[in-house]
Amino acid sequence: MRSRILVRLANTLLGLFFVCVAYAQVTTGSIAGMVKDNHGEPLAGVAVKITHVPSGTVYYAVTQGSGNYFIQGIRVGQDFKVEFSFIGFASKTVEGISILLGVQVQLDATLAERSITLPEVVVTGAAFSKTGAATNVTNQQIQTLPSINRSINDFAGLTPQSNGNNSFAGRDRRYNYITVDGAVFNNSFGLSDRISNLPGGDAQPISIDAIDQISVNIAPFDIRQSNFTGAGINAVTKSGDNTLKGSVYTYLRPESFAGKTIDGAKYDWDETAMQTYGLSLGGPLIRDRLFFFVNGEYEKSNKPSTSWKTSTDGNADATNYISRAQTSRLSDLKQHLLDVYGYDPGDWNWHPFTSENYKVLARVDWNMNDRHKVTVRYNQVVSTNEVLTNATSVPTGVARSTYS
């Protein structure tokens, strides 16, 4: 009367990639701009140094003859510092820059000649240049906004083009394309009770506490973002920095949190209960060079197996979800199968179904030198769900809603 599905995504090495210009999907940000002198003329050969202050990760560029510079493959995050320096000109420093996933920061600068006695100029703020209709969800938003299922899909729905049920711009959810750190994360098998694009049955394959940023692209003109007609949903996981920090968390959703009345009328129904326990830890292995981040999470939930109940008199009541199957007859049928055939058909009283999952993510980031960055990521989820028997799995091969 019920079947069990074991979903195991084991030994999944989803990320060994170099932070360079070639990606299956966009997993980084970029910065570009123009540098001029105080007369408005472009400056060529200006050294541009970008530093991620929390981790000490550094990126370099030199302006071209037109005064333009462009740096891509920058890790996402906050608190970046950009320094401009050129012989004969006063240096300029821009602090407090945020790099968003798949977004280009537009940062122009004007350098004054050193003959004009000026101290070092420090400014804050920068403009962003998006490559089409897109919505970016920062780590701060992930931490503060409410989420029912603690899923990437909950935050992807923040985009104005969301039609609900993971549908975007009027397209079926199956036309979406989801990646995590550039690896494809589409729900290819479709083993999920929820309306979900993600693999892992009822389980979220990666804890939302391990996600750093999410971007939802509807109509990008960046050719690296492709293979979809609904939405391209990109997510990147957290990485460590020079500060050792961690968290221990729990989320509880008791059945008592659900109401039992609608417009004054009382109803008796089963509700979902959920418990989540997890921890995260990240920090440096070698300061400014090698960093780690790990996350582990356990989740258990009980949910109604079906809304229908058995009857005592054989009369159906569809309004209150009472079937015509009698409690006494089902009990007699089960006992007959046990006595005559030695077959236990299972519980016919539709007790709540249980779902359990364990997931772990580990990531190491290595700044090999100023030009080469290496990231290795491993994640695994083991999920066990109880579900109703599939329609084609019943003895006749035909689904039945009621039996007499």
Side-chain angles (χ1 to χ4, degrees), residues 39-366:
H39 300 293
E41 296 296 327
L43 290 175
V46 177
V48 184
K49 179 182 178 182
I50 301 176
T51 305
H52 182 236
V53 177
S55 67
T57 305
V58 179
Y59 306 87
Y60 292 97
V62 176
T63 59
Q64 302 174 352
S66 59
N68 292 306
Y69 71 95
F70 176 59
I71 305 176
Q72 58 182 347
I74 304 176
R75 58 178 289 173
V76 299
Q78 298 178 338
D79 200 8
F80 281 82
K81 179 175 65 175
V82 183
E83 300 172 81
F84 302 91
S85 59
F86 190 53
I87 297 176
F89 290 81
S91 299
K92 173 175 285 190
T93 301
V94 182
E95 297 179 335
I97 301 298
S98 296
I99 301 297
L100 303 181
L101 179 60
V103 175
Q104 177 179 296
V105 177
Q106 187 70 28
L107 181 61
D108 299 330
T110 300
L111 302 185
E113 295 181 8
R114 192 176 295 274
S115 57
I116 302 176
T117 305
L118 291 175
E120 181 176 314
V121 179
V122 178
V123 297
T124 59
F128 295 96
S129 176
K130 293 187 176 182
T131 57
T135 298
N136 284 82
V137 183
T138 65
N139 184 253
Q140 182 181 10
Q141 291 174 304
I142 293 175
Q143 292 179 352
T144 56
L145 292 177
S147 172
I148 300 300
N149 297 318
R150 302 187 68 250
S151 168
I152 293 175
N153 289 323
D154 288 350
F155 295 96
L158 293 175
T159 183
Q161 292 82 12
S162 174
N163 306 123
N165 294 330
N166 301 316
S167 171
F168 298 87
R171 299 295 290 169
D172 189 279
R173 62 184 177 85
R174 289 170 291 185
Y175 291 97
N176 298 335
Y177 194 74
I178 301 179
T179 63
V180 177
D181 289 336
V184 178
F185 248 65
N186 294 325
N187 184 10
S188 301
F189 276 168
L191 299 178
S192 177
D193 288 344
R194 299 172 182 163
I195 302 177
S196 177
N197 303 82
L198 301 171
D202 265 6
Q204 303 301 322
I206 294 179
S207 170
I208 197 66
D209 283 80
I211 299 297
D212 192 3
Q213 288 191 24
I214 303 169
S215 71
V216 183
N217 299 277
I218 303 300
F221 50 83
D222 186 342
I223 61 173
R224 296 173 297 173
Q225 304 187 50
S226 57
N227 296 326
F228 67 90
T229 58
I233 304 173
N234 298 334
V236 292
T237 55
K238 294 179 180 178
S239 58
D241 53 37
N242 285 326
T243 303
L244 181 64
K245 52 181 176 285
S247 64
V248 178
Y249 56 89
T250 180
Y251 296 91
L252 303 176
R253 182 182 170 188
E255 290 185 14
S256 59
F257 280 15
K260 295 293 184 180
T261 60
I262 299 178
D263 293 334
K266 293 186 177 181
Y267 292 86
D268 182 21
W269 55 55
D270 296 325
E271 268 296 333
T272 298
M274 185 175 296
Q275 307 168 32
T276 303
Y277 307 93
L279 58 87
S280 298
L281 182 65
L285 295 173
I286 302 176
R287 188 174 179 84
D288 293 339
R289 286 293 181 183
L290 192 63
F291 313 95
F292 76 95
F293 176 82
V294 293
N295 171 266
E297 187 174 286
Y298 167 72
E299 185 180 51
K300 180 179 180 180
S301 65
N302 294 317
K303 61 181 180 180
S305 53
T306 179
S307 301
W308 290 89
K309 308 293 183 182
T310 58
S311 66
T312 57
D313 54 9
N315 295 320
D317 183 0
T319 303
N320 295 305
Y321 294 95
I322 304 297
S323 71
R324 61 180 179 176
Q326 291 181 259
T327 303
S328 59
R329 288 191 177 186
L330 289 176
S331 182
D332 292 341
L333 174 61
K334 178 178 179 177
Q335 191 62 45
H336 176 76
L337 293 174
L338 286 170
D339 295 341
V340 178
Y341 301 102
Y343 172 71
D344 186 356
D347 192 355
W348 51 266
N349 201 28
W350 307 118
H351 66 84
F353 283 171
T354 299
S355 172
E356 286 187 295
N357 67 81
Y358 308 80
K359 44 182 166 278
V360 62
L361 178 141
R363 171 169 172 160
V364 175
D365 293 88
W366 179 21

